[in-house]
Amino acid sequence: MSDNPSTVVPDDKRQGGLPSWAVKTIAIAVVLVLAVIAYFILAAFLPRWWSQKIGSAVGQSITTGSFYGIAFGVVCTLVSLLLLALAWRARRWGQTRYWALAFVVLAVVASIPNLLTLTVVAGGGSGAHAGERILDVEAPGFRGGTLVGVIIAAVIFAVGLFLWIRLRRRRRAASTTAVTSTQPPA
């Protein structure tokens, strides 16, 4: 290299360091290792914590557990599905990627209670098994209520989506016939 400051350093090799692809690869590997470590820590902690929170809210009542389960299932699923629908619609807006990504992130955040319940029900670790026992004793009916709520929300969303698409098609057909009927015959 010369002492000339106008000399351009290529993008693929930093001055006195690793190539940029190596830096990116190392960064990705570090993030993946941290994600795996976080997964194992959270897999042991979150199901127990969630079960204890729900158990203390329900107070060993099957009616309250079922009601809370249905409420969590319906609200969290319906909000998540609506946010995902907005993410799908956002592809027609300006700055599409940012809006779509924001809606997807909000949908994931809205579905966290359902995902936590799913980790208790479907998880295979000791935290999930402890969470199942806690929910069985302190929040009976919550898991089944959550499943019923998710199904109700999915049906409501599917029916709403069907009606919305049908209404849009009818409006398009009506506007098309209105345009053709206002044109004078040739």
Side-chain angles (χ1 to χ4, degrees):
M1 300 238 72
S2 67
D3 292 332
N4 185 358
S6 65
T7 305
V8 177
V9 178
D11 286 339
D12 62 339
K13 179 98 174 166
R14 292 184 181 182
Q15 201 171 13
L18 295 172
S20 62
W21 63 266
V23 172
K24 290 177 187 175
T25 304
I26 291 171
I28 290 171
V30 167
V31 167
L32 287 175
V33 167
L34 291 176
V36 169
I37 291 170
Y39 168 78
F40 283 115
I41 291 171
L42 294 177
F45 168 73
L46 282 179
R48 283 186 181 102
W49 173 80
W50 178 247
S51 298
Q52 289 170 350
K53 289 297 177 187
I54 293 300
S56 66
V58 169
Q60 298 180 344
S61 169
I62 194 164
T63 306
T64 307
S66 299
F67 175 75
Y68 274 36
I70 291 170
F72 272 105
V74 168
V75 170
C76 295
T77 304
L78 201 54
V79 168
S80 297
L81 289 173
L82 289 173
L83 286 168
L84 289 174
L86 281 174
W88 179 257
R89 294 282 298 162
R91 60 196 167 97
R92 295 186 183 183
W93 303 345
Q95 299 179 353
T96 303
R97 284 181 265 154
Y98 304 112
W99 282 107
L101 180 64
F103 287 133
V104 168
V105 168
L106 289 174
V108 170
V109 168
S111 67
I112 285 176
N114 286 346
L115 293 174
L116 287 171
T117 304
L118 183 63
T119 59
V120 170
V121 172
S126 63
H129 291 303
E132 277 185 289
R133 290 189 298 274
I134 293 168
L135 285 182
D136 284 342
V137 174
E138 295 184 23
F142 181 78
R143 291 183 292 168
T146 302
L147 177 62
V148 169
V150 167
I151 292 169
I152 290 170
V155 168
I156 289 171
F157 181 77
V159 169
L161 185 64
F162 171 76
L163 292 174
W164 181 68
I165 290 171
R166 188 172 173 190
L167 179 67
R168 283 187 58 198
R169 286 185 180 162
R170 283 189 177 180
R171 284 185 181 168
R172 268 194 214 137
S175 67
T176 304
T177 57
V179 168
T180 56
S181 64
T182 59
Q183 294 176 350

